[in-house]
Amino acid sequence: MVNVILKSDSDKGLINRNIYGHFSEHLGRCIYEGLWVGEDSPIPNTEGIRNDVLAALQKLNIPVLRWPGGCFADEYHWKDGVGPKSERARMINTHWGGVEENNHFGTHEFMRLCELLGAEPYISGNLGSGTVQEMQEWVEYITFDGESPMANWRKQNGRDEPWKLKYFGVGNENWGCGGNMRPEYYADEYRRYATYVRNYSGNQIYKIACGPNDSNYEWMEVLMREAARFMDGISLHYYTIPTGVWEDKGNATGFGEAEWFTTLKKTLFMDELLIKHSEIMDKYDPEGRVGIIVDEWGTWYNVEPGTNPGFLYQQNTMRDAVLAAVNLNIFNQHNKRVHMANLAQIVNVLQSLVLTEGDKMLLTPTYHVFDMYQVHMDAQRLDLNYESPGYTFGEETIPQLSLSASRNKDGVIHATACNLSHTDELEVVVQLEAGQAASVSGQLLHNTDFGSFNTFEQPDLVKPVAWEGLVLENNTLRFVLPPASVGLVAVQG
């Protein structure tokens, strides 16, 4: 049993809704087949965007969507993706599978998708192989409301009014696929390119610098020292790879107890990364103005057998659900620095919310976690005091309980809880300090098989159910988390 003190009237700051953001790259079947089928497709669509996926994503109230990459961003030339589709340049996607990219999904289509989702667009600009002029003109094309070659071209292509664009990334993974740069070199390039990412027509851009890959603390140090005053946010990328071996990452399904434990142990490293990177940022930005943007995170396994290795298609199990919930709890706890996070990726790639096959679609266990957790968006984080029991496997031990809590604008308290143990249930007793709790309800995501996943034959094998057995008495809440489960509790005053 674990005892928790939850201070109902505390205020640990706003949980930025953008923590629940997503990422879409021209990679495998994420864009084409996943989000975009084209206006002439027999699959029901809205202006080329498939309706079933759109409806599923709308239910999540996705706050922000990143595009067009990823590694693809630093070889993407945006002018190839505007104008009549029959005249758009074709290219080979050399990063991902060597397939042809017809550029039918470009700036107009992406901005329309964001409008339909009600999401803020987050565009990654090409610093690796693009020019300063190209980046400057893209921002002008999207946001300028006036007379200019780019604004006039946008109007010729069917969009009279400019769009609002808040988030713009100046390069992506420039320490690797974005140019193999040294931090000192990229810092200077960032300063140069960011100068020309201008605010037009009242549009205010939040500029995001390419930050480190996982524990590259030197990169963070150099970027903050040399360029912090020119940025609003800095990215951080960390993928959970069960084996820690890039060439053989482990399988998405059919794993055993050891792989379950190792995967969760490795994903908990996210907390250490945020602590240590925040400490570096505090030296150069003590007021906390610059945000950490975790714009690529999630699991990365070996691809599904028989699929194109460059498409990064993997299944999604109850393990991924628990892992997603743990990371979201961690991001909530670091809400002072973490301004945004973007799960990689939204459809058919890596840790997806949705999988498609022809005209069929299914929701993954990770989708259900994001559905349950959206209650934390723009809510006030609450103070929690507890000591988790240990979850031991072999000679290693990690915390068994991951917990986060918030209070929304209507005064409803939500707590999200994960039991990381694959064998033991966990009784939790929460003392609600301050206020008077009147009622409780909840949802539970759980399956007795921790490797269970949804298929097109059984699309609802893993899904949330009403959480029976919640007890609220004298401002004390009691519940039992089954092994390998994710729970959501709502307490009304």
Side-chain angles (χ1 to χ4, degrees):
M1 186 178 76
V2 58
N3 292 297
V4 179
I5 296 175
L6 192 160
K7 297 180 180 179
S8 311
D9 61 347
S10 60
D11 182 359
K12 306 297 286 186
L14 194 74
I15 296 174
N16 196 314
R17 65 187 293 104
N18 291 331
I19 283 173
Y20 295 85
H22 294 278
F23 171 34
S24 56
E25 182 170 5
H26 288 244
L27 196 175
R29 297 186 300 114
C30 181
I31 300 295
Y32 302 105
E33 297 184 44
L35 292 167
W36 175 263
V37 292
E39 298 93 331
D40 299 330
S41 173
I43 297 173
N45 64 85
T46 299
E47 300 169 44
I49 299 163
R50 60 183 294 165
N51 288 344
D52 53 356
V53 174
L54 181 62
L57 299 180
Q58 285 172 330
K59 185 173 183 287
L60 296 182
N61 295 305
I62 286 172
V64 60
L65 182 61
R66 181 174 180 243
W67 172 85
C71 292
F72 184 82
D74 276 290
E75 65 177 7
Y76 181 66
H77 300 283
W78 70 270
K79 293 179 182 180
D80 293 340
V82 298
K85 292 186 177 63
S86 62
E87 299 175 12
R88 295 186 188 181
R90 295 171 179 262
M91 60 179 284
I92 297 298
N93 190 333
T94 56
H95 275 296
W96 306 119
V99 295
E100 183 181 89
E101 163 67 55
N102 63 19
N103 279 306
H104 283 191
F105 189 90
T107 301
H108 288 252
E109 291 75 23
F110 172 67
M111 299 301 283
R112 179 59 177 149
L113 171 62
C114 289
E115 287 177 343
L116 292 169
L117 291 174
E120 291 277 3
Y122 168 16
I123 286 179
S124 292
N126 182 348
L127 182 145
S129 68
T131 65
V132 171
Q133 180 180 353
E134 182 181 12
M135 188 177 290
Q136 178 268 318
E137 288 181 338
W138 199 4
V139 176
E140 179 186 330
Y141 182 94
I142 292 170
T143 64
F144 186 53
D145 185 16
E147 184 73 20
S148 80
M150 292 300 106
N152 291 341
W153 192 24
R154 182 193 70 235
K155 294 171 186 176
Q156 291 171 17
N157 289 331
R159 175 77 184 196
D160 289 336
E161 296 298 318
W163 291 282
K164 290 295 183 183
L165 175 63
K166 186 172 182 180
Y167 300 103
F168 195 91
V170 184
N172 167 78
E173 293 194 354
N174 301 100
W175 35 261
C177 62
N180 289 307
M181 300 175 186
R182 298 177 303 112
E184 294 83 1
Y185 180 82
Y186 171 73
D188 286 342
E189 287 290 270
Y190 171 82
R191 288 167 57 143
R192 184 166 73 102
Y193 276 71
T195 301
Y196 297 92
V197 177
R198 295 191 172 113
N199 293 322
Y200 296 103
S201 307
N203 184 77
Q204 295 292 316
I205 289 182
Y206 182 106
K207 299 178 187 180
I208 299 169
C210 168
N213 186 35
D214 54 66
S215 58
N216 188 343
Y217 301 115
E218 179 194 6
W219 187 281
M220 179 65 83
E221 183 88 34
V222 172
L223 263 292
M224 289 300 297
R225 184 185 69 225
E226 301 297 336
R229 66 187 184 277
F230 301 103
M231 68 177 76
D232 300 298
I234 185 166
S235 68
L236 171 65
H237 291 182
Y238 176 62
Y239 286 97
T240 300
I241 298 173
T243 64
V245 178
W246 189 255
E247 293 76 18
D248 185 8
K249 303 175 184 68
N251 295 330
T253 61
F255 52 85
E257 295 179 336
E259 290 86 357
W260 167 277
F261 181 89
T262 302
T263 305
L264 293 178
K265 178 176 180 290
K266 287 184 179 298
T267 212
L268 286 169
F269 185 53
M270 180 68 81
D271 187 53
E272 179 179 325
L273 286 173
L274 292 174
I275 290 170
K276 290 186 175 180
H277 283 301
S278 294
E279 288 173 351
I280 295 170
M281 295 175 72
D282 287 346
K283 289 164 50 179
Y284 303 98
D285 177 37
E287 296 179 353
R289 182 187 63 82
V290 179
I292 293 179
I293 310 297
V294 192
D295 57 18
E296 291 190 31
W297 69 274
T299 53
W300 197 323
Y301 308 123
N302 298 332
V303 302
E304 289 301 299
T307 65
N308 186 325
F311 281 13
L312 306 187
Y313 179 78
Q314 62 188 42
Q315 252 297 352
N316 191 297
T317 70
M318 194 64 217
R319 174 175 63 168
D320 299 284
V322 172
L323 182 146
V326 167
N327 277 276
L328 291 172
N329 283 345
I330 290 171
F331 298 149
N332 286 351
Q333 296 307 111
H334 289 275
N335 62 316
K336 288 188 177 179
R337 269 294 178 195
V338 178
H339 290 187
M340 186 194 298
N342 307 78
L343 178 70
Q345 293 184 10
I346 195 165
V347 185
N348 289 334
V349 173
L350 299 177
Q351 192 173 350
S352 304
L353 301 177
V354 173
L355 301 178
T356 67
E357 186 178 280
D359 62 354
K360 294 181 288 186
M361 182 203 75
L362 65 79
L363 309 177
T364 69
T366 296
Y367 175 97
H368 295 304
V369 168
F370 272 82
D371 194 14
M372 295 164 68
Y373 271 57
Q374 65 176 295
V375 295
H376 289 307
M377 291 185 190
D378 289 339
Q380 298 293 329
R381 183 167 73 85
L382 299 179
D383 194 21
L384 291 167
N385 193 324
Y386 71 99
E387 285 192 19
S388 171
Y391 162 38
T392 300
F393 187 82
E395 298 181 354
E396 296 184 291
T397 300
I398 60 176
Q400 184 180 357
L401 177 65
S402 171
L403 193 62
S404 185
S406 66
R407 183 183 62 251
N408 70 13
K409 59 182 176 58
D410 298 320
V412 180
I413 293 172
H414 292 102
T416 46
C418 316
N419 182 357
L420 281 68
S421 172
H422 68 289
T423 55
D424 299 331
E425 66 179 22
L426 180 61
E427 182 181 2
V428 181
V429 179
V430 183
Q431 183 63 48
L432 300 164
E433 290 191 350
Q436 186 62 42
S439 64
V440 64
S441 60
Q443 290 181 292
L444 185 66
L445 185 64
H446 170 62
N447 190 289
T448 52
D449 176 7
F450 63 62
S452 58
F453 55 93
N454 295 329
T455 66
F456 294 103
E457 294 71 36
Q458 291 183 291
D460 294 321
L461 186 63
V462 183
K463 67 176 183 179
V465 297
W467 196 351
E468 307 294 342
L470 297 171
V471 177
L472 179 63
E473 188 176 21
N474 297 325
N475 263 28
T476 299
L477 171 65
R478 297 176 181 270
F479 55 83
V480 175
L481 280 166
S485 64
V486 181
L488 165 66
V489 176
V491 179
Q492 302 268 358

